[in-house]
Amino acid sequence: MFSYLIRRVISAVILLLIVSAVTFGIFFLLPKIAGQTTDQLAQQYIGKSPTPADIAAVKRNLGLDKPVYEQYWEFLKGIFTGVDYKFGPEAARCHVPCFGYSFKTHIEVWPEIRSRLPVTLSLAVGAAVVWLVSGITTGVISALRPGSLFDRLSMGVALAGVSLPMFFTGAIALALFTYQWPIFERSDYVPLFDNPFLWARTLVLPWVTLAFLYSALYARLTRAGMLETLSEDYIRTARAKGLGERTVVVRHGLRAALTPLITVFGMDLGLLLGGALITEQVFSLQGVGAFAVQAITANDLPNILGVTLLAAFFIVLCNLVVDVLYAAVDPRVRLS
Amino acid sequence: MTDSDDTASGAPKPPGEGAPFLDVRDLKVHFPTDDGLVKSVDGLSFTLEKGKTLGIVGESGSGKSVTSLAVMGLHRASRRQRATVRMSGEIRLDGQELIGADPDEVRRLRGRRMAMIFQDPLSALHPYYTVGKQIVEAYRVHHDVDKKTARKRAIEMLDRVGIPQPDKRVDDHPHQFSGGMRQRAMIAMALVNNPELLIADEPTTALDVTVQAQILDLIRDLQKEFGSAVIVITHDLGVVAELADDLLVMYGGRCVERGPADKIFEAPQHPYTWGLLGSMPRIDRDHTDRLIPVKGSPPSLINVPSGCAFNPRCPYADVPKDDLTRTVRPELTEATTGHFSACHMAPAERKRIWTEEIAPKL
Amino acid sequence: MSENAKKKSGKAGEPAETEQTREPAEAGAAAEAQESAEAGAAEEAGKGGESAESAEPDGADVPDGAASAESEQPAEAAEAAEDAEPAEPAEAVDEKPAAPVASAAAVPAPRSDADGVRTPLLRVRGLTRHFPITKGLLKRQVGAVQAVDGIDFDVYPGETLGVVGESGCGKSTMGRLITRLDEPTGGTVEFEGQDITHLSPGKLRPMRRDVQMIFQDPYGSLNPRHTIGGIVSTPFRLQGVEPEGGVKKEVQRLLELVGLSPEHYNRYPHEFSGGQRQRIGIARALALKPKLVVADEPVSALDVSIQAQVVNLMDDLQDELGLTYVIIAHDLSVIRHVSDRIVVMYLGKIVELADRTSLYTTPMHPYTKALMSAVPVPDTKRRTERDRILLKGDVPSPINPPSGCRFRTRCWKATETCTTTEPPLVSLKDGHKVACHHPENAPGPGTA
């Protein structure tokens, strides 16, 4: 088990390195290949009407004149040690982890992202709890009575949930519960530890909207998994032992049926932690997703790079957790 | 199998003294499907006493497994199942009617008074729980004891079924066991509550021959020790010859022949039984002749052939007069004491065919 | 079937008639050829067939014509050598490892005639397949599953060789090796004198016509989305062969041959029962008139009454087409019924190799004896009479097989020698080889 864990961690680190290299390459190597000069790149840091001297200074200070692989190495080093930039007389310290400076605002990338992380975390984790509870419950009940009114109704709703886009359901939710009946008034994000009640109240609508999409998917997955598991031989054995139907379904059925869901869940949560772009836009939440959208519209390469790497980090991390969890749940995985 | 009333016509005996331990009468298990009503078991009757072993033999789709699940009440364990099955007839376990009984009452009998061993122990054991936990669970459903006591009992049972180092292996998961060990664990789990009726559904089909021999021995020994009634369900006539006192041959959801195993192996009465014997290559005989297969395929359980269900495949279908085999369903009749078969041919005719035509070729 | 074997050895040359219609192998579709025997390869097959037409012929490495020319002669030789002791040739070859394989391929007939020796259709020497086991961070190899570990045997034209053993004995792996669906890690496999042990898929193509496989699972081995006609005609498309009278007519003839109706051509597998599906699998295997058919558990998934139908069908087809069979099964009764000679395997080794009667009446290896005594017999009278040998425990792991004789951990006759020395497979009487230090039913004392 220990060796399995180490192996997974090492492969996760390697994966992250590859992702960072590829992303870095896309941002700094591809434009070069396409004909962009380092001057043009440096110009982006300065803004309008730069003098050639400014450009040369920026190039030197940021190391833009070095080969791309060296820049990548500096970038990597910066993440772990921080970087000192010299702009004329004053030296600016980019703290660990240093993802560089924004082209536009000249603010360090990481503190910006970090300040937005709680919003995204609250949104993603809260929504995940909602969709896990509602999705799995619906799925199990449907599976226990396939063909019943509940089953057909909930699967119909689930189909709608899967097919309706976020910006549509989100807009409808806002229109109904904020403007028509102001149950959840529009307000800015309130940190959890400042006022838990307000924190929750701000987020209920985004949670539910986001969870609607996912619960639909999870209800269908749970239902299918349960139906398959309930026809397994070991379920028949459990019944033959004289166990109550509740024990059979929960202890013997659900556990096996939910195991494959772990994989899907890890992937979904990882993706969301990297920023729920549309949800944050629709509900005007200043999370990582909104930050990403702004960075992309502004063509702010360092910010885009930072967000991309963060998203990749979360996905890799969640997958790592999933693999370990899977081994913990299914003893057969441990050996092979 | 000791009494002589064969079909549902006989009046049910009162429970208690004199009644057989397991009494199944005119059992019907039908499954409504989109294609039609699947008559998996269609009027089956048999009895079984404690200490005796009944072998139920048939091919896939003959209804043998459906019968065993019906006795265990496993067609009606969940709400979902109850919606998809139609059952009628009587199943009496020690006088207690099971078919009409409250499902929860039957559940309390399951695992305690009647237990079951399944064909493939790998898929029949839960992959996520240790063998010990699964046995402990089976024990604690019916006994109000703490986990420690139950665990001791589990180790004791594993030891009894011949698993080496039971105190260590009790914490293994099923996939860490070999096939034979898994089936032993399965048997330990089934016997943990000293059931009076044990049903073994193809208990050795998934196992190698040498392991099969071990398991058959084990079942036989345990039966002697516990004195329980045993039903062995199999397609393998060799396995029933090893274990069974009585035999019941099923075809198309019905019994075509039943009686003491000795009598059936000595002089089988039904053409289908002859067919089964003729189809089997024998390890104990060196013959270079061809096998004598049964022509055609097993019948559809939705459109069971009229008359005798076996008539399209029976080489003697034209022997009885007036096209009886295709129009009238033959009832079980007693050929010799305790030996019944459902065939339109006269017993003398069947005896002649067996001794003159079939037996010499086997 | 031994009767049949004698009758049909004369007919063994029959498939050779089709040689003329065969074309050299095409390189383009060669990769697909490997799948010819595998399930559901029909999709690829289509592509394979198309590319085959445009591809350059590549007959250079495969003397197809030469091979087919020889194939008639061994059959005659076999007839000539019919009454010769069957075990001799294998022995002779063993003692003369110098006899070069290449020359055997070049001039097989004269040699056979001169020595009065039957030339085997398939010759297997030291066949080994180890599956590596890796462990740790660097996935270094820590051991190997010794699925097949150095086995020798021959298959003669027209005979049925039965291979029997319990799960994990390596019999199925062996079947995949001799049909080259898997590549051996050691030893050699020769088919009609040609070494096919490590041939590339492209060069294996001509051989794939002559060697076909029948699989156990009649449900899994047929692609559910293809019609029966499509499935049975797959081999023609794969090999780019146009049978006389067209593919459809030939397929319908094949369907009839295996006892199905030609009208089944446009039906789908799910419309058929298990037994019928197995017939379809057999029809597909026979499409290219193979010389050798390897059947892995051909009847074990079928009901008893259907099992007999398929066994009889295979028997008839062998008579009619002069086929050679290697039948792999765990069921000793079936093996006894179908085989002329039998190989008993245990943990990747051959423990006994003998002709049918000799094996079943006087088994020499304790394992064989135990195996046979364990088979339940449909006769209640025998329940009390027979003395059954109950083996203890399970088959040990093929990863760490016991030293010396692999059976010693379960053997009641095991001694010190069995732990230290591996018993060689030696001939103790005509046509009866056994690998045991303390054989049962041995003809004389001190033979081993």
Side-chain angles (χ1 to χ4, degrees):
Chain A
M1 185 69 193
F2 183 69
S3 133
Y4 174 79
L5 195 70
I6 300 279
R7 209 161 55 225
R8 303 307 313 184
V9 170
I10 288 177
S11 64
V13 169
I14 292 172
L15 192 63
L16 269 182
L17 276 177
I18 293 171
V19 171
S20 69
V22 169
T23 328
F24 197 88
I26 289 173
F27 288 145
F28 289 97
L29 188 63
L30 278 188
K32 219 172 197 172
I33 293 169
Q36 192 193 36
T37 61
T38 42
D39 284 3
Q40 284 167 321
L41 187 62
Q43 197 183 329
Q44 300 212 34
Y45 278 92
I46 302 164
K48 289 166 190 166
S49 58
T51 64
D54 290 340
I55 291 178
V58 165
K59 267 190 353 190
R60 195 175 54 252
N61 283 329
L62 297 182
L64 294 180
D65 43 0
K66 290 177 190 162
V68 172
Y69 62 85
E70 263 185 53
Q71 291 185 49
Y72 173 64
W73 175 243
E74 292 291 329
F75 175 77
L76 273 190
K77 218 165 71 180
I79 296 176
F80 295 103
T81 63
V83 182
D84 289 309
Y85 293 110
K86 290 185 215 75
F87 291 112
E90 67 218 271
R93 169 82 184 154
C94 175
H95 297 281
V96 178
C98 175
F99 287 94
Y101 282 89
S102 157
F103 281 163
K104 310 291 168 187
T105 57
H106 296 245
I107 301 171
E108 283 177 49
V109 174
W110 175 244
E112 274 282 281
I113 294 180
R114 201 185 49 197
S115 73
R116 289 153 181 272
L117 255 185
V119 182
T120 298
L121 272 176
S122 306
L123 177 64
V125 174
V129 171
V130 176
W131 89 58
L132 280 183
V133 172
S134 63
I136 291 174
T137 317
T138 317
V140 169
I141 297 177
S142 291
L144 290 182
R145 299 173 191 183
S148 67
L149 190 66
F150 178 88
D151 178 36
R152 277 178 286 166
L153 208 66
S154 58
M155 284 306 120
V157 174
L159 190 65
V162 174
S163 32
L164 290 179
M166 226 353 266
F167 50 80
F168 177 75
T169 47
I172 298 266
L174 270 179
L176 289 180
F177 299 108
T178 303
Y179 300 114
Q180 185 73 25
W181 306 292
I183 306 167
F184 301 106
E185 278 169 46
R186 227 181 156 132
S187 68
D188 283 337
Y189 172 77
V190 180
L192 169 65
F193 296 109
D194 290 5
N195 187 336
F197 175 74
L198 275 183
W199 169 79
R201 199 184 138 149
T202 332
L203 286 169
V204 165
L205 220 47
W207 282 344
V208 171
T209 322
L210 188 55
F212 183 56
L213 172 74
Y214 284 95
S215 346
L217 184 70
Y218 279 64
R220 293 188 82 89
L221 284 175
T222 309
R223 180 180 183 269
M226 260 326 254
L227 281 179
E228 200 188 311
T229 309
L230 285 180
S231 62
E232 292 279 357
D233 285 359
Y234 54 78
I235 295 295
R236 192 182 54 190
T237 311
R239 289 194 178 120
K241 288 199 263 189
L243 297 177
E245 194 57 20
R246 185 186 303 259
T247 320
V248 171
V249 169
V250 176
R251 257 179 68 85
H252 291 255
L254 199 56
R255 183 168 169 193
L258 291 188
T259 314
L261 265 188
I262 296 178
T263 316
V264 186
F265 179 67
M267 202 64 117
D268 286 341
L269 190 66
L271 270 172
L272 273 186
L273 287 175
L277 303 189
I278 299 170
T279 316
E280 290 175 18
Q281 285 288 308
V282 170
F283 294 96
S284 319
L285 290 166
Q286 290 305 309
V288 178
F291 180 75
V293 172
Q294 286 154 22
I296 292 164
T297 12
N299 199 16
D300 199 342
L301 277 190
N303 280 359
I304 301 176
L305 183 60
V307 173
T308 312
L309 287 185
L310 182 77
F313 171 75
F314 277 126
I315 291 172
V316 170
L317 181 75
C318 284
N319 272 317
L320 180 66
V321 173
V322 161
D323 282 350
V324 174
L325 261 184
Y326 215 109
V329 172
D330 188 344
R332 287 169 300 181
V333 177
R334 273 172 239 162
L335 288 179
S336 57
Chain B
M1 286 246 122
T2 44
D3 65 354
S4 56
D5 60 42
D6 47 65
T7 54
S9 53
K13 287 181 188 175
E17 283 302 304
F21 178 66
L22 177 70
D23 190 352
V24 174
R25 291 186 191 203
D26 198 28
L27 175 69
K28 290 184 180 167
V29 187
H30 295 176
F31 299 92
T33 67
D34 293 343
D35 299 327
L37 191 65
V38 178
K39 298 177 178 171
S40 291
V41 177
D42 200 31
L44 183 71
S45 305
F46 63 88
T47 59
L48 177 61
E49 295 296 347
K50 274 200 204 175
K52 291 282 183 187
T53 301
L54 168 69
I56 301 184
V57 180
E59 298 180 274
S60 47
S62 62
K64 56 190 195 306
S65 287
V66 175
T67 304
S68 64
L69 295 177
V71 173
M72 291 288 289
L74 284 172
H75 292 303
R76 309 181 67 238
S78 74
R79 184 194 299 264
R80 191 182 147 206
Q81 289 174 328
R82 287 195 282 278
T84 58
V85 65
R86 280 186 213 158
M87 278 171 70
S88 67
E90 283 174 54
I91 299 174
R92 283 176 189 278
L93 183 75
D94 206 8
Q96 187 178 358
E97 221 309 294
L98 299 185
I99 286 191
D102 173 33
D104 210 46
E105 208 157 292
V106 182
R107 177 183 70 74
R108 279 192 288 271
L109 293 176
R110 261 202 308 272
R112 187 167 57 90
R113 299 198 70 183
M114 51 187 184
M116 192 158 175
I117 306 166
F118 297 97
Q119 172 175 2
D120 180 2
L122 182 60
S123 60
L125 289 167
H126 201 295
Y128 293 174
Y129 297 106
T130 63
V131 169
K133 266 192 186 161
Q134 299 189 46
I135 300 176
V136 164
E137 189 182 38
Y139 191 56
R140 291 186 75 209
V141 200
H142 302 292
H143 291 85
D144 189 19
V145 294
D146 60 15
K147 282 190 180 171
K148 218 171 151 188
T149 318
R151 189 184 147 90
K152 247 177 80 189
R153 171 79 179 156
I155 294 172
E156 186 190 307
M157 284 312 295
L158 288 177
D159 190 41
R160 178 63 198 85
V161 297
I163 287 181
Q165 296 182 292
D167 49 331
K168 290 203 181 67
R169 301 311 300 264
V170 72
D171 294 319
D172 276 355
H173 285 93
H175 69 268
Q176 291 163 291
F177 275 30
S178 69
M181 298 252 282
R182 270 182 225 129
Q183 194 58 292
R184 285 173 192 268
M186 189 83 214
I187 293 174
M189 193 162 87
L191 295 183
V192 74
N193 296 313
N194 290 333
E196 294 147 287
L197 171 65
L198 177 69
I199 302 179
D201 188 355
E202 303 271 8
T204 57
T205 307
L207 306 175
D208 277 322
V209 231
T210 56
V211 180
Q212 164 171 290
Q214 296 169 355
I215 298 291
L216 293 181
D217 264 30
L218 179 66
I219 294 177
R220 203 175 12 233
D221 286 357
L222 290 171
Q223 181 185 27
K224 260 183 216 148
E225 191 180 323
F226 293 99
S228 38
V230 175
I231 299 179
V232 178
I233 290 161
T234 177
H235 68 279
D236 188 337
L237 283 167
V239 169
V240 283
E242 291 278 330
L243 288 180
D245 302 302
D246 294 316
L247 212 60
L248 193 158
V249 183
M250 285 189 78
Y251 186 81
R254 299 176 62 89
C255 169
V256 293
E257 178 160 13
R258 67 169 214 228
D262 295 337
K263 284 194 177 175
I264 293 187
F265 281 113
E266 202 192 301
Q269 290 282 326
H270 198 278
Y272 176 62
T273 318
W274 300 340
L276 280 181
L277 286 167
S279 299
M280 285 181 75
R282 291 278 292 259
I283 190 161
D284 54 338
R285 289 175 200 168
D286 190 14
H287 66 112
T288 48
D289 282 349
R290 295 158 54 84
L291 296 170
I292 318 157
V294 185
K295 66 181 180 191
S297 326
S300 144
L301 293 173
I302 295 173
N303 293 311
V304 183
S306 62
C308 173
F310 187 58
N311 84 65
R313 305 178 71 189
C314 183
Y316 308 101
D318 293 321
V319 174
K321 279 179 202 135
D322 303 330
D323 214 20
L324 263 179
T325 45
R326 288 176 196 87
T327 50
V328 180
R329 181 189 266 180
E331 293 295 331
L332 277 175
T333 49
E334 196 166 10
T336 60
T337 320
H339 187 172
F340 299 84
S341 78
C343 180
H344 284 301
M345 284 190 285
E349 181 70 16
R350 277 179 276 161
K351 193 174 174 192
R352 186 197 62 78
I353 294 173
W354 166 252
T355 44
E356 289 173 18
E357 295 179 26
I358 311 291
K361 285 193 207 156
L362 291 180
Chain C
M1 244 187 233
S2 64
E3 301 294 326
N4 303 336
K6 288 186 180 178
K7 271 186 283 163
K8 72 193 136 216
S9 55
K11 292 190 208 163
E14 219 170 59
E17 289 169 13
T18 58
E19 303 292 342
Q20 277 78 24
T21 63
R22 292 185 183 172
E23 290 151 311
E26 270 84 17
E32 275 84 7
Q34 180 145 21
E35 306 204 31
S36 68
E38 298 203 342
E43 203 108 41
E44 262 73 16
K47 287 180 229 151
E50 283 160 36
S51 53
E53 284 165 37
S54 58
E56 286 288 306
D58 170 31
D61 294 285
V62 188
D64 205 24
S68 61
E70 293 153 30
S71 73
E72 287 177 66
Q73 283 156 332
E76 287 159 17
E79 202 160 26
E82 189 139 287
D83 296 320
E85 286 131 355
E88 279 309 304
E91 288 302 296
V93 175
D94 274 346
E95 284 152 22
K96 290 185 281 182
V101 173
S103 78
V107 280
R111 198 182 71 126
S112 329
D113 283 344
D115 300 357
V117 160
R118 280 203 290 168
T119 311
L121 184 66
L122 186 79
R123 189 169 177 276
V124 174
R125 288 295 172 272
L127 187 69
T128 301
R129 179 67 168 99
H130 290 183
F131 296 97
I133 303 163
T134 56
K135 208 182 174 185
L137 291 180
L138 301 171
K139 301 242 170 209
R140 76 204 140 79
Q141 189 180 335
V142 291
V145 179
Q146 305 181 10
V148 174
D149 195 36
I151 60 176
D152 303 339
F153 64 90
D154 295 309
V155 184
Y156 295 97
E159 77 167 346
T160 298
L161 181 74
V163 180
V164 72
E166 294 182 282
S167 52
C169 73
K171 57 189 192 300
S172 287
T173 308
M174 187 278 291
R176 294 180 61 82
L177 292 174
I178 60 173
T179 47
R180 275 304 316 279
L181 294 174
D182 189 9
E183 192 170 343
T185 47
T188 56
V189 181
E190 282 167 31
F191 180 71
E192 296 193 310
Q194 189 200 2
D195 188 340
I196 60 164
T197 322
H198 300 293
L199 284 190
S200 66
K203 293 185 182 154
L204 276 173
R205 251 185 119 221
M207 172 280 237
R208 296 214 177 277
R209 293 185 200 177
D210 294 334
V211 181
Q212 285 290 330
M213 197 149 179
I214 299 172
F215 295 92
Q216 168 178 8
D217 180 10
Y219 294 88
S221 57
L222 304 178
N223 188 333
R225 282 168 302 166
H226 290 269
T227 60
I228 301 314
I231 289 167
V232 178
S233 61
T234 303
F236 296 119
R237 275 179 288 138
L238 273 174
Q239 293 275 355
V241 173
E242 181 68 29
E244 220 174 305
V247 171
K248 184 168 181 181
K249 208 174 154 199
E250 178 64 12
V251 168
Q252 288 179 332
R253 191 189 69 80
L254 284 164
L255 290 178
E256 232 172 341
L257 184 71
V258 298
L260 294 169
S261 156
E263 282 103 68
H264 290 155
Y265 188 85
N266 285 317
R267 299 233 200 129
Y268 287 88
H270 68 86
E271 298 172 62
F272 293 88
S273 66
Q276 288 174 315
R277 287 178 209 219
Q278 198 55 293
R279 288 172 191 266
I280 295 164
I282 292 172
R284 176 175 60 185
L286 296 182
L288 295 169
K289 304 197 165 90
K291 292 176 186 144
L292 177 66
V293 173
V294 178
D296 189 358
E297 301 279 6
V299 297
S300 61
L302 306 174
D303 269 325
V304 186
S305 67
I306 309 299
Q307 199 171 320
Q309 296 173 358
V310 174
V311 165
N312 280 352
L313 172 70
M314 290 182 65
D315 203 348
D316 295 343
L317 290 170
Q318 187 169 40
D319 283 355
E320 257 173 72
L321 306 173
L323 295 169
T324 307
Y325 284 139
V326 171
I327 296 181
I328 300 165
H330 71 280
D331 187 327
L332 284 113
S333 314
V334 169
I335 285 291
R336 175 169 202 174
H337 186 84
V338 300
S339 311
D340 300 314
R341 290 191 308 136
I342 292 152
V343 165
V344 183
M345 285 183 73
Y346 186 79
L347 268 181
K349 296 264 186 204
I350 293 180
V351 295
E352 192 157 2
L353 196 170
D355 59 69
R356 185 228 338 248
T357 315
S358 185
L359 186 83
Y360 280 85
T361 51
T362 54
M364 291 190 186
H365 200 285
Y367 176 63
T368 315
K369 206 175 171 196
L371 204 57
M372 291 191 323
S373 83
V375 177
V377 173
D379 191 346
T380 43
K381 268 180 264 158
R382 310 248 319 178
R383 176 155 55 180
T384 40
E385 299 172 1
R386 53 205 288 229
D387 51 330
R388 163 178 291 169
I389 304 158
L390 254 198
L391 289 181
K392 286 198 189 72
D394 295 302
V395 181
S397 157
I399 299 169
N400 273 315
S403 64
C405 172
R406 293 190 171 183
F407 182 59
R408 69 172 165 83
T409 52
R410 300 172 79 195
C411 184
W412 62 98
K413 300 178 96 180
T415 57
E416 193 59 34
T417 330
C418 304
T419 319
T420 51
T421 320
E422 186 183 326
L425 187 67
V426 289
S427 190
L428 289 193
K429 78 184 185 193
D430 287 346
H432 201 137
K433 292 188 195 179
V434 62
C436 181
H437 293 302
H438 313 287
E440 307 258 325
N441 300 316
T447 7

